[in-house]
């Protein structure tokens, strides 16, 4: 299950990195099974923070997934921290931005694809709203659009934005 999730993440141009407190041999075995190329083993909490800062200084967005007390500082430092809510410590859950209640990380590629789609929808909705309102204002200034029709245009634009956003509820990546 995890290996296919890693392949899906690679398909989304997400580069997985294994940061673990485990010894090098155990970390390399796990990484080889999952297809993770970048492995950092024997990581204390401060090393995880250092690695995250290195990635962020390279203008990379960092999503950290963790479950233990040792992961809490890194979860807080990452751009997005995801804690395993079921098996994770309360401190890790508190430090994270997102807590996976059932610890099902296989949905992570879907969540990333959905978040990208959501940002596209937000940008589209904002652009549509601004263009529609600008046109309506120009038409109102020139006298072509009276206040009643201006209100109707504004409300119709709001409905279109809401319907477009609601389409995300059933969205699935092909």
């Amino acid at each position: 299950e995890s290996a296919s999730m890693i392949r899906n993440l690679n398909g989304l141009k997400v580069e997985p990195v294994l940061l673990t407190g485990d010894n090098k041999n155990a970390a390399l075995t796990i990484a080889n099974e999952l297809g993770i190329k970048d492995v950092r083993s024997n990581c204390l909490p401060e090393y995880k923070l250092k690695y995250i800062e290195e990635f962020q200084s390279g203008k990379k967005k960092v999503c950290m997934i963790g479950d233990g007390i040792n992961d809490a500082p890194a979860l807080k430092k990452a751009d997005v921290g995801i804690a395993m809510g079921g098996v994770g410590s309360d401190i890790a859950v508190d430090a994270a931005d997102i807590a996976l209640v059932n610890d099902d990380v296989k949905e992570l590629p879907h969540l990333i694809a959905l978040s990208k789609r959501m940002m596209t929808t937000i940008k589209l909705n904002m652009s549509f709203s601004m263009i529609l309102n600008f046109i309506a204002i120009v038409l109102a200034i020139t006298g072509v659009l009276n206040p009643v029709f201006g209100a109707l245009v504004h409300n119709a634009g709001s409905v279109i934005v809401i319907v477009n956003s609601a389409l995300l509820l059933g969205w699935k990546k092909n």
Side-chain angles (χ1 to χ4, degrees):
E1 212 172 71
S2 296
S4 92
M5 181 202 60
I6 296 297
R7 281 191 302 277
N8 290 337
L9 287 174
N10 286 330
L12 291 169
K13 296 185 174 117
V14 173
E15 178 187 338
V17 177
L18 179 60
L19 298 176
T20 181
D22 292 338
N23 70 52
K24 187 175 183 176
N25 289 335
L28 288 173
T29 301
I30 292 168
N32 286 334
E33 286 181 23
L34 298 178
I36 298 174
K37 296 177 182 88
D38 195 351
V39 181
R40 316 287 170 98
S41 58
N42 299 313
C43 290
L44 297 173
E46 56 268 22
Y47 296 156
K48 291 179 184 181
L49 274 176
K50 182 181 135 218
Y51 291 133
I52 287 174
E53 288 170 355
E54 282 178 23
F55 291 121
Q56 289 173 330
S57 69
K59 305 294 182 212
K60 293 182 180 180
K61 297 289 184 189
V62 175
C63 175
M64 168 74 182
I65 302 172
D67 63 355
I69 293 170
N70 292 338
D71 294 325
L75 288 168
K76 197 72 172 165
K77 179 70 177 167
D79 296 298
V80 177
I82 300 175
M84 308 298 255
V87 297
S89 72
D90 290 342
I91 293 173
V93 170
D94 288 342
D97 300 305
I98 299 168
L100 297 176
V101 178
N102 63 358
D103 298 335
D104 195 1
V105 294
K106 74 176 184 222
E107 291 299 320
L108 190 59
H110 173 73
L111 293 174
I112 291 171
L114 177 60
S115 69
K116 289 179 180 184
R117 176 62 185 220
M118 181 185 69
M119 289 308 298
T120 300
T121 300
I122 289 170
K123 290 173 186 174
L124 179 69
N125 287 344
M126 293 294 293
S127 299
F128 171 76
S129 296
M130 289 191 295
I131 290 168
L132 181 67
N133 287 335
F134 177 75
I135 291 170
I137 289 169
V138 170
L139 292 175
I141 289 172
T142 60
V144 174
L145 196 61
N146 68 38
V148 173
F149 282 117
L152 287 172
V153 167
H154 177 74
N155 287 330
S158 297
V159 168
I160 290 169
V161 164
I162 290 168
V163 168
N164 190 39
S165 297
L167 293 174
L168 288 171
L169 292 173
W171 183 83
K172 296 254 190 272
K173 188 173 188 298
N174 296 331

